[in-house]
Amino acid sequence: MSYTDVEPTSLSDAKYHLALSQSSPDAELLDKLVRRFPEHAAALTEFAIALALDSFGQSNDDTFAATSTETSAAVAKAMSRFHNRLYAERKALAPVAESPINPFASMPRSELRAFARNMKANLPFVMKLRDRQISEDTMSMGFKRRVTEELKVPLDVVIAHFAAQPEMRADARFKSQDKPEVSTKQSLEDAIRGSGLTAEQQEFLLKL
């Protein structure tokens, strides 16, 4: 049984597997080793790149003193593939980004109704704003500024809230016991037209 048939148990073992696999590192083997040792993804990837450069007669990843166009292309391809693998692994291990602040989250129903009155809207429409059901890029800057003024929060907080993914409230009630899927966002105009607002209210909001 050869050394490469033995499962690696450390970073050193993994590097030996890469070095002894063949004349130049094997991308599939690198994938396997990174999955086994995700905490060493960067070290293994850089080691694989170094081996690839060495096998093609290169001194480092910034200098391509290749003897032929084919060699330079092979080095570039190997580096690209290894770096792509490292990026994918880092992305998978990265912590999930925190959701933007929801400026409506702590508002009791009475405050939501007051906000609706000040916006010349109604509660169903405000719920769509609260739950991010309306596409931010269909809102005019005048509309965003009016929301900012009524909520008394920074404009960037309002924009980040509306730009985030739709939110399904935990206290929502549904006829089905199945967990509902978050729907696709509406345009601002569609949300205004479909919220039971009066013609006067619709006109006011659409002109903001």
Side-chain angles (χ1 to χ4, degrees):
M1 181 174 61
S2 68
Y3 182 84
T4 53
D5 292 328
V6 180
E7 284 295 317
T9 58
S10 67
L11 176 60
S12 296
D13 289 343
K15 285 184 175 181
Y16 277 118
H17 268 65
L18 280 172
L20 297 176
S21 62
Q22 54 187 53
S23 58
S24 62
D26 179 78
E28 291 184 5
L29 177 58
L30 176 62
D31 284 348
K32 178 181 177 181
L33 293 174
V34 167
R35 284 195 297 271
R36 183 171 176 81
F37 302 101
E39 70 276 18
H40 299 311
L44 288 170
T45 302
E46 293 305 323
F47 184 69
I49 291 172
L51 289 175
L53 292 170
D54 183 67
S55 70
F56 289 120
Q58 300 297 313
S59 58
N60 57 61
D61 59 1
D62 295 318
T63 304
F64 287 100
T67 57
S68 69
T69 301
E70 291 77 9
T71 302
S72 293
V75 173
K77 184 176 180 180
M79 290 175 61
S80 175
R81 187 167 185 180
F82 294 145
H83 275 303
N84 287 344
R85 183 65 184 86
L86 176 60
Y87 173 78
E89 189 64 30
R90 281 175 172 170
K91 186 175 181 181
L93 294 175
V96 178
E98 294 183 3
S99 298
I101 295 172
N102 185 333
F104 297 91
S106 62
M107 296 172 67
R109 189 60 63 96
S110 59
E111 289 185 14
L112 290 172
R113 288 198 180 96
F115 173 81
R117 286 195 300 272
N118 294 338
M119 287 290 296
K120 300 189 187 303
N122 60 12
L123 199 54
F125 178 73
V126 171
M127 294 300 189
K128 292 180 180 181
L129 295 177
R130 182 195 67 179
D131 298 341
R132 302 168 180 155
Q133 299 297 312
I134 304 173
S135 178
E136 181 266 335
D137 59 10
T138 66
M139 300 176 181
S140 69
M141 186 54 68
F143 181 87
K144 296 171 191 174
R145 291 190 184 280
R146 179 60 182 258
V147 172
T148 296
E149 292 169 4
E150 296 299 338
L151 290 176
K152 296 179 174 57
V153 297
L155 179 61
D156 59 348
V157 170
V158 169
I159 292 176
H161 166 69
F162 289 141
Q165 290 298 308
E167 185 176 277
M168 185 60 67
R169 299 286 294 186
D171 57 358
R173 291 176 172 81
F174 306 94
K175 293 180 180 179
S176 171
Q177 293 182 351
D178 295 333
K179 184 178 179 180
E181 295 183 359
V182 177
S183 59
T184 303
K185 289 190 176 187
Q186 293 180 292
S187 68
L188 178 62
E189 182 174 358
D190 286 344
I192 290 172
R193 301 293 189 198
S195 295
L197 297 163
T198 66
E200 181 181 356
Q201 289 173 317
Q202 292 182 39
E203 183 180 6
F204 173 80
L205 292 169
L206 289 170
K207 286 184 176 180
L208 286 176

